[in-house]
Amino acid sequence: QALANAPLLQRHKRGEGRREYQFAPTELISSYLFSFVAGEFQSISRNVAGRRMTMLHRETDEGKVARNIDAIFELHGQSIAWMEQYTGIAYPFQKFDFVAIPGFPFNGMEHVGAIQYRATSLFLNAEPPLTEVLGRAQLIAHETAHMWFGNLVTMQWFDDVWTKEVFANFMADKIVNPAFGEVDHQLNFLVNHYPAAYAVDRSEGANPIRQPLANLNQAGSLYGSIIYHKAPIMMRQLELIVGEQGLRDGLAEYLRQFSFGNATWPALIAILDKRTAVDLAAGSQVWVNTAGRPEFQLLATAAGDAPTNRLLQLDPLGLDRVWPQQFEVLQLGADSRQLAAIRADSRELSLPALAGGESPVATVFNANGQGYGLFPATVEQLSQWDRLSPVQKGVALLGVYDNLLAGALDDLPQYYAMLLGIVQQEPDPLLLTLALEQLWYVYEVLLDDAQRGVWKPLTEEALWLTTLAQPDSSRTKLLFRFYAEMASSAEQVQRLYDIWLGTLVVDKLTLEEEDREALSQTLAIRLPAKSDAIIAQQLAGMTNPDRRRRLEFIAPSLSGDEAVRDDFFASLKREQQRQTESWVIDALRKLHHPSRLQQSEKYLLPSLELLQELQVTGDIFFPANWLQASLGNHHSTEAAQTVRRFLAQRPDYNPQLRMKILQAADGVFRAAKIRARATRPADT
């Protein structure tokens, strides 16, 4: 926004709503930016790992700064040291600083010399859940890794933009390992990447990792979960083929050969191909250049007296593709367990039978969490919970959920009951978070009104008691957040209100200004008659000016008055109202809160109609985030039909945006079908 008003930037309008930017020399812009922020941002410098680093920020909570600053600098220092050791290449630039910016539209941006971060991604609240602590470490590692992958070596054209992101994410997963020795990093990789990758790859809008790009003005549409999450899964399969050392040596050669220049993915494949007898180019063609994922189907046949299981790898698009990959299969007998390594490089695979010809009680496919696809899964896997390792538990949760969305599981209440039981007993914070996220989605989106009415008192009481039973403040806060989001009965909402007021104190629950602000928003929605008063009281007690401005902006989306919400949504059609995009996305989520879907369904069509303008005027992630915030909670047949009609009436619609719509609407389509099945008469 500062640049847009600066004399260093000339802005020209061409066509309707289209803009082209002509920037002044980089050093002048940098000088302008730092003079702009000098009066408002505080500066902190440290010597870390033999390097002077400076951080600029404008956080007013001195306690929050003091609590986080050591970790922020240490994580940057650890990331640089790890990358230098892994690649054998010293940090390739003269300067390494970073800036924490309130309301920044991205979690991070890898500018050489001064990485930019969203302030809330670095400054965590007291006693944060483990997922937030890990998330910050991985974000810092990701942006630091970009100094080598993306800045030292840059893609030749945007069809390979994913290469800088896959290496940054893949390296980040490795970098955080030494600093978090207590974490199961195989499980962390699973929960970080698989849900997001599957969400896109199971949709009608699935896109390849490597996508062609005809014009740079469409480059923003290339970004998404496939390049950030499926690509690291592919890289891990590649590492299994060439070996950890082989991949490391190949990447070092790649960085040296193309330093301060441009490279392509085929160029890297050529380097790695020299280190294995496997045809990497053939596997890359399927994994990287085509969309979608395989579906595995289990067939049982008889070979003599012993049963032999055959696992088929199917191409859901009927293109006869095979995704070469390696994974493990766990078969559980009544008192036995058998783990088998599988190399899936053909369409038909044989699974070893359990010793003694015993029939398995449960089979967990992809038991080590390294394979990729829709694997067979049943709720019997969850019934064997205590016999599974942490990674196997995560695989079971993902597999059963995936099969539920695919329509392969019919007993939704049984699955929900098992999820609720897991939430009440699982101590691992990564598994607990995954189970809570699934519990929330099933409860708020997939259960119909009658089913939710049955489960409502049981769910609310179970989550409250489980919150109180947590052994530390971090897990207490994690449980409380989900309890606060799902509690809707008068008694439970009053309890939340008392906690927000401070008249009810919960042991081991630490709430800072941001936590209370989030709770005030929930209460404003749950108590519409008091919404204005709640937000006014929250604003009066806030000390951080940036957070106060944010809450003032989204306040109309929290209003109990539907007309106020309608006016606010209408205001988003003005570009000026969308300047701080992260605030807009927060407000959209409130407008489409699960308790307001009947009222907010009318926003869906105009939201879709605005999408092309958002692509022109917004940042790269804004259209996809706008769609997800608008569509993510909807589940009605009418909402699904709105999306279908919009696309059917526009056969020549922008292909990239059509793809983003189908990705975001996948949950709407599936939820509508699942809910329709639940209400269908039994005899049909």
Side-chain angles (χ1 to χ4, degrees):
Q1 190 173 357
L3 285 174
N5 298 321
L8 304 174
L9 178 68
Q10 299 176 5
R11 183 172 61 185
H12 306 276
K13 291 186 177 180
R14 292 190 178 179
E16 294 185 2
R18 292 195 173 274
R19 291 181 177 176
E20 293 187 359
Y21 293 89
Q22 179 182 347
F23 289 93
T26 303
E27 63 272 15
L28 292 180
I29 290 183
S30 298
S31 173
Y32 179 84
L33 272 177
F34 283 101
S35 66
F36 173 76
V37 303
E40 299 185 32
F41 281 65
Q42 299 180 52
S43 174
I44 301 175
S45 296
R46 294 274 178 89
N47 287 318
V48 183
R51 183 177 303 280
R52 186 71 169 174
M53 299 181 187
T54 298
M55 175 180 184
L56 297 176
H57 75 91
R58 50 181 288 150
E59 174 56 60
T60 59
D61 186 336
E62 294 181 1
K64 175 173 286 190
V65 174
R67 189 171 58 248
N68 285 280
I69 199 67
D70 288 345
I72 293 172
F73 275 98
E74 288 169 7
L75 288 167
H76 280 97
Q78 291 167 5
S79 298
I80 288 181
W82 193 95
M83 285 297 301
E84 288 181 329
Q85 181 182 23
Y86 184 87
T87 64
I89 299 174
Y91 176 69
F93 305 103
Q94 296 177 345
K95 180 173 175 285
F96 188 92
D97 297 333
F98 40 95
V99 188
I101 305 173
F104 192 56
F106 317 116
N107 283 323
M109 186 61 70
E110 65 271 19
H111 298 298
V112 171
I115 299 172
Q116 297 178 0
Y117 293 102
R118 184 181 301 170
T120 53
S121 298
L122 296 186
F123 292 113
L124 306 183
N125 290 330
E127 305 296 340
L130 176 63
T131 49
E132 291 185 8
V133 178
L134 278 171
R136 176 177 65 184
Q138 288 171 305
L139 172 63
I140 289 172
H142 176 105
E143 302 305 336
T144 304
H146 267 315
M147 299 302 120
W148 284 260
F149 295 102
N151 293 344
L152 175 62
V153 175
T154 304
M155 69 277 182
Q156 194 171 89
W157 180 241
F158 262 74
D159 55 355
D160 276 326
V161 69
W162 69 277
T163 55
K164 72 185 184 72
E165 301 303 339
V166 65
F167 292 129
N169 255 1
F170 192 65
M171 293 299 114
D173 289 321
K174 291 178 177 291
I175 291 170
V176 301
N177 286 15
F180 295 88
E182 75 285 4
V183 171
D184 187 322
H185 290 284
Q186 289 282 74
L187 174 62
N188 188 42
F189 187 98
L190 184 83
V191 300
N192 261 346
H193 297 303
Y194 278 75
Y198 281 174
V200 175
D201 244 2
R202 71 165 70 98
S203 76
E204 298 172 39
N207 60 271
I209 293 175
R210 193 175 196 237
Q211 304 176 67
L213 182 71
N215 193 308
L216 199 59
N217 65 10
Q218 300 286 315
S221 63
L222 302 182
Y223 289 84
S225 290
I226 293 300
I227 69 171
Y228 283 103
H229 298 292
K230 181 181 180 179
I233 296 169
M234 178 277 298
M235 282 300 303
R236 192 166 61 165
Q237 286 290 331
L238 186 60
E239 187 178 49
L240 290 174
I241 296 173
V242 301
E244 290 187 24
Q245 190 62 46
L247 180 64
R248 179 176 178 176
D249 292 343
L251 290 176
E253 180 181 340
Y254 166 83
L255 290 172
R256 288 192 300 268
Q257 180 177 339
F258 296 102
S259 285
F260 299 104
N262 305 96
T264 65
W265 171 250
L268 176 59
I269 287 295
I271 291 173
L272 295 177
D273 241 337
K274 297 181 296 185
R275 291 168 166 81
T276 178
V278 177
D279 185 353
L280 297 182
S284 174
Q285 171 60 29
V286 175
W287 274 96
V288 175
N289 294 333
T290 68
R293 59 178 183 165
E295 296 181 359
F296 292 89
Q297 181 178 337
L298 184 64
L299 297 178
T301 61
D305 296 327
T308 301
N309 290 329
R310 292 189 301 133
L311 188 65
L312 303 181
Q313 182 179 167
L314 306 176
D315 182 350
L317 297 183
L319 301 178
D320 219 22
R321 295 172 293 174
V322 172
W323 286 256
Q325 56 181 296
Q326 300 174 45
F327 55 84
E328 293 179 350
V329 174
L330 172 67
Q331 296 184 85
L332 296 173
D335 299 306
S336 62
R337 55 187 293 126
Q338 181 172 290
L339 195 62
I342 302 295
R343 184 180 293 274
D345 52 9
S346 62
R347 292 178 185 82
E348 184 172 329
L349 312 165
S350 295
L351 304 180
L354 276 174
E358 181 184 7
S359 296
V361 176
T363 301
V364 181
F365 294 93
N366 192 27
N368 60 351
Q370 294 184 341
Y372 187 78
L374 175 61
F375 292 92
T378 64
V379 292
E380 281 70 25
Q381 293 180 4
L382 302 182
S383 68
Q384 302 296 313
W385 189 257
D386 293 337
R387 301 177 64 189
L388 304 178
S389 70
V391 171
Q392 291 162 1
K393 290 178 179 179
V395 167
L397 279 173
L398 288 176
V400 176
Y401 182 73
D402 210 14
N403 277 265
L404 171 71
L405 296 182
L409 297 181
D410 293 327
D411 197 338
L412 184 59
Q414 180 193 15
Y415 166 63
Y416 185 81
M418 287 191 169
L419 268 183
L420 189 58
I422 289 169
V423 164
Q424 292 174 271
Q425 67 168 330
E426 179 54 49
D428 187 295
L430 295 177
L431 288 169
L432 180 58
T433 302
L434 181 60
L436 282 166
E437 289 170 348
Q438 292 183 2
L439 187 83
W440 179 91
Y441 189 77
V442 174
Y443 182 80
E444 296 287 7
V445 180
L446 300 185
L447 292 178
D448 62 30
D449 294 343
Q451 292 170 329
R452 192 181 305 109
V454 171
W455 283 105
K456 181 176 178 177
L458 296 172
T459 300
E460 291 179 338
E461 190 64 13
L463 289 178
W464 173 246
L465 293 177
T466 306
T467 299
L468 298 180
Q470 294 307 302
D472 55 53
S473 297
S474 175
R475 277 180 281 195
T476 300
K477 180 174 286 189
L478 172 63
L479 261 298
F480 180 76
R481 287 178 181 175
F482 281 90
Y483 163 72
E485 283 297 315
M486 296 173 69
S488 60
S489 66
E491 177 185 358
Q492 305 293 340
V493 173
Q494 182 61 47
R495 178 183 285 155
L496 292 173
Y497 188 68
D498 293 340
I499 292 172
W500 175 70
L501 289 174
T503 57
L504 175 61
V505 178
V506 179
D507 185 37
K508 297 191 289 292
L509 180 62
T510 304
L511 297 180
E512 294 188 58
E513 182 174 278
E514 286 176 83
D515 300 312
R516 294 189 180 279
E517 180 199 346
L519 187 53
S520 73
Q521 295 176 36
T522 298
L523 289 168
I525 293 172
R526 295 295 188 192
L527 299 170
K530 296 182 178 180
S531 62
D532 292 344
I534 289 171
I535 297 305
Q537 184 172 340
Q538 180 65 36
L539 285 168
M542 295 179 71
T543 59
N544 183 288
D546 295 312
R547 285 194 286 274
R548 187 186 303 117
R549 283 194 291 270
R550 172 185 168 277
L551 183 56
E552 288 171 343
F553 176 85
I554 69 173
S557 72
L558 301 166
S559 175
D561 188 338
E562 187 175 351
V564 172
R565 301 199 301 273
D566 289 348
D567 289 343
F568 175 77
F569 176 78
S571 75
L572 297 180
K573 297 177 182 178
R574 302 194 303 271
E575 182 183 352
Q576 186 63 32
Q577 184 73 344
R578 304 191 301 267
Q579 289 297 311
T580 308
E581 294 175 359
S582 62
W583 295 359
V584 174
I585 298 304
D586 288 341
L588 276 177
R589 291 193 182 105
K590 304 308 176 184
L591 290 176
H592 294 277
H593 188 273
S595 65
R596 294 171 159 180
L597 297 182
Q598 288 186 337
Q599 293 83 32
S600 65
E601 199 169 285
K602 61 188 172 187
Y603 305 144
L604 294 183
L605 180 57
S607 293
L608 294 171
E609 292 172 337
L610 198 57
L611 195 60
Q612 288 182 306
E613 180 181 334
L614 300 181
Q615 185 187 39
V616 173
T617 61
D619 282 311
I620 57 176
F621 296 118
F622 192 44
N625 289 339
W626 172 281
L627 287 168
Q628 191 57 48
S630 301
L631 294 168
N633 296 334
H634 283 273
H635 48 64
S636 70
T637 301
E638 292 75 18
Q641 290 173 344
T642 296
V643 177
R644 294 291 191 193
R645 280 196 301 267
F646 176 85
L647 293 176
Q649 293 168 0
R650 294 163 176 81
D652 298 324
Y653 194 70
N654 181 302
Q656 293 288 338
L657 291 183
R658 175 181 293 272
M659 181 177 66
K660 294 296 183 185
I661 292 172
L662 289 171
Q663 291 172 8
D666 185 69
V668 185
F669 301 153
R670 294 179 186 274
K673 290 180 181 178
I674 290 172
R675 290 168 67 94
R677 284 201 305 268
T679 57
R680 191 179 299 140
D683 60 354
T684 63

